[in-house]
């Protein structure tokens, strides 16, 4: 595959625009990045940033087949229009058309989670699995689906918004406007919220976490809780176990609907490893419809980390550009 065309992948998040030249084996040969312009700026400013990243990568002189864009937001089924991007200024933005006016390459736009699940399917933890679901645990919960070896985007391109499945009727209010969404119970935000609540209440069980943030609950982050859990702090382990339990409950619902062979768990919270996955597997088995009488999906950690989005975006673009 060494002589197969290269492609550029762009991963756009709330804080960074990362780009890379990716070969047909999923290896990133060259990288660059920019800060994401502030969300209040116009769509043009974000597009300027994308063009700048692509032009820098093209300075390598490599033969590039296509550019793939992975955007955090709703991308229409035409893979050309960003319907809504919460951290950017895009509202029904014809992104492929706008970029096509400035870049003389085939351009394909996709949701960042779709790009990530494709990367894990092709090159990571989901290699060889035809029915794959990826759950990304970060500030919220995102996800992607591969069915029969193809990315499943849904009728309108918005499949995979798992974080907003309701798991608790009339539960905690979510930023989306609804109550009881899955990401309010199994995400980085949920982990930090529960720890801070105990700290604000003055509970003696949070003494270790208090020391780590100098007595300032507002400085607590998910990675700090994970670090404390890995160091053996009982409360931090308990909190991660609770997040894992809710993760397993939600995956059991997804299994009832989609019946995947493998769940891949990515995102920042997945850095907790088995402290998260072990309770998730236990809750999944307990909650699974038809448990004991059906095959069970594997639950594994993602392998490609932060580069999954740009690797997947590049590979999807190359595949489509070559027909």
């Amino acid at each position: 595959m060494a002589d197969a065309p290269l492609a550029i992948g762009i991963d756009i998040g709330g804080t960074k625009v990362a780009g890379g030249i990716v070969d047909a084996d999923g290896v990133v040969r060259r990288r660059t990045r920019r800060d994401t312009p502030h969300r209040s700026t116009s769509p043009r400013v974000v597009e300027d940033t994308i063009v700048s990243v692509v032009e820098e990568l093209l300075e390598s002189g490599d033969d590039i087949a296509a550019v793939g864009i992975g955007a955090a937001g709703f991308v229409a089924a035409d893979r050309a229009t960003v319907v809504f991007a919460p951290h950017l200024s895009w509202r029904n933005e014809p992104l492929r058309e706008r970029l096509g006016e400035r870049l003389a390459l085939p351009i394909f736009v996709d949701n960042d989670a779709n790009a990530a699940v494709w990367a894990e399917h092709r090159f990571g933890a989901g290699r060889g699995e035809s029915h794959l679901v990826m759950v990304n645990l970060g500030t919220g919960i995102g996800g992607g689906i591969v069915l029969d070896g193809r990315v499943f985007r849904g009728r309108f391109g918005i499949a995979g918004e798992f974080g907003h499945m309701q798991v608790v009727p009339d539960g905690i209010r979510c930023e989306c406007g609804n109550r009881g969404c899955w990401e309010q119970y199994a995400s980085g935000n949920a982990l930090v919220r529960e720890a801070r609540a105990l700290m604000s209440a003055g509970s003696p069980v949070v003494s270790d976490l208090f020391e780590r943030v100098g007595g300032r609950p507002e400085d607590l982050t998910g990675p700090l809780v994970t670090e404390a859990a890995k160091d053996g702090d009982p409360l931090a382990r308990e909190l991660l176990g609770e997040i894992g339990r809710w993760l397993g409950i939600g995956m059991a619902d997804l299994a009832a609907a989609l019946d995947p062979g493998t769940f891949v768990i990515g995102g920042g919270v997945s850095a907790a490893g088995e402290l998260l996955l072990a309770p998730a597997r236990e809750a999944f088995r307990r909650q699974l419809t038809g448990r004991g009488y059906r095959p069970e999906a594997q639950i594994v950690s993602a392998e490609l980390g932060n580069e999954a989005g740009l690797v997947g975006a590049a590979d999807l673009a190359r595949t489509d550009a070559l027909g």
Side-chain angles (χ1 to χ4, degrees):
M1 300 293 285
D3 296 328
L6 303 171
I8 289 175
I10 305 293
D11 183 21
I12 307 167
T15 60
K16 60 90 175 69
V17 177
I21 296 175
V22 183
D23 68 21
D25 294 320
V27 176
V28 183
R29 295 191 177 185
R30 187 176 180 188
R31 299 170 176 82
T32 190
R33 62 176 289 159
R34 304 280 193 281
D35 291 337
T36 302
H38 190 270
R39 69 171 66 189
S40 66
T41 59
S42 71
R44 177 76 181 198
V45 177
V46 184
E47 288 151 20
D48 289 344
T49 305
I50 296 169
V51 170
S52 172
V53 169
V54 173
E55 288 178 341
E56 179 183 334
L57 292 169
L58 289 175
E59 291 174 0
S60 66
D62 290 317
D63 183 18
I64 304 297
V67 177
I69 311 290
F74 296 168
V75 177
D78 62 5
R79 296 185 62 207
T81 306
V82 182
V83 177
F84 173 69
H87 301 296
L88 302 167
S89 302
W90 290 332
R91 305 292 185 269
N92 289 313
E93 180 69 13
L95 184 59
R96 185 166 70 186
E97 178 183 341
R98 295 281 188 266
L99 295 176
E101 294 168 354
R102 305 172 67 182
L103 297 170
L105 285 167
I107 296 168
F108 300 89
V109 184
D110 221 320
N111 172 266
D112 58 347
N114 288 342
V117 73
W118 183 253
E120 292 290 345
H121 166 68
R122 290 271 285 126
F123 310 112
R127 287 187 303 273
E129 176 58 72
S130 62
H131 290 65
L132 178 70
V133 171
M134 187 169 184
V135 180
N136 286 319
L137 300 180
T139 302
I141 296 178
I145 306 164
V146 170
L147 296 180
D148 286 327
R150 298 172 64 89
V151 175
F152 177 75
R153 298 179 176 87
R155 171 64 177 83
F156 303 107
I158 307 175
E161 293 296 326
F162 308 140
H164 300 290
M165 301 186 305
Q166 187 186 63
V167 295
V168 179
D170 298 321
I172 296 169
R173 177 73 73 180
C174 181
E175 291 179 359
C176 76
N178 293 329
R179 289 185 177 274
C181 291
W182 190 23
E183 69 177 41
Q184 293 303 314
Y185 300 88
S187 68
N189 268 357
L191 180 66
V192 172
R193 183 190 66 232
E194 294 303 305
R196 285 178 177 170
L198 286 166
M199 295 172 78
S200 297
S203 172
V205 299
V206 292
S207 57
D208 181 52
L209 294 179
F210 255 122
E211 290 178 8
R212 289 174 186 265
V213 296
R216 293 171 54 87
E218 63 272 22
D219 291 341
L220 189 68
T221 63
L224 278 174
V225 178
T226 298
E227 179 184 301
K230 288 181 175 179
D231 290 343
D233 178 58
L235 175 68
R237 287 179 172 239
E238 179 183 328
L239 291 172
L240 273 171
E242 185 68 6
I243 297 297
R245 185 177 74 85
W246 280 111
L247 173 61
I249 290 170
M251 286 191 297
D253 288 344
L254 291 173
L258 300 171
D259 191 29
T262 301
F263 285 96
V264 173
I265 311 302
V269 182
S270 69
E274 288 301 309
L275 292 172
L276 175 78
L277 295 188
R281 292 190 189 101
E282 181 180 348
F284 177 77
R285 294 188 188 105
R286 189 169 59 247
Q287 197 77 13
L288 187 64
T289 301
R291 54 192 175 276
Y293 297 95
R294 58 173 289 174
E296 290 184 11
Q298 299 182 83
I299 299 173
V300 299
S301 291
E303 293 180 0
L304 300 182
N306 292 333
E307 292 196 327
L310 73 87
V311 169
D315 197 66
L316 284 167
R318 173 182 32 247
T319 300
D320 287 349
L322 298 178

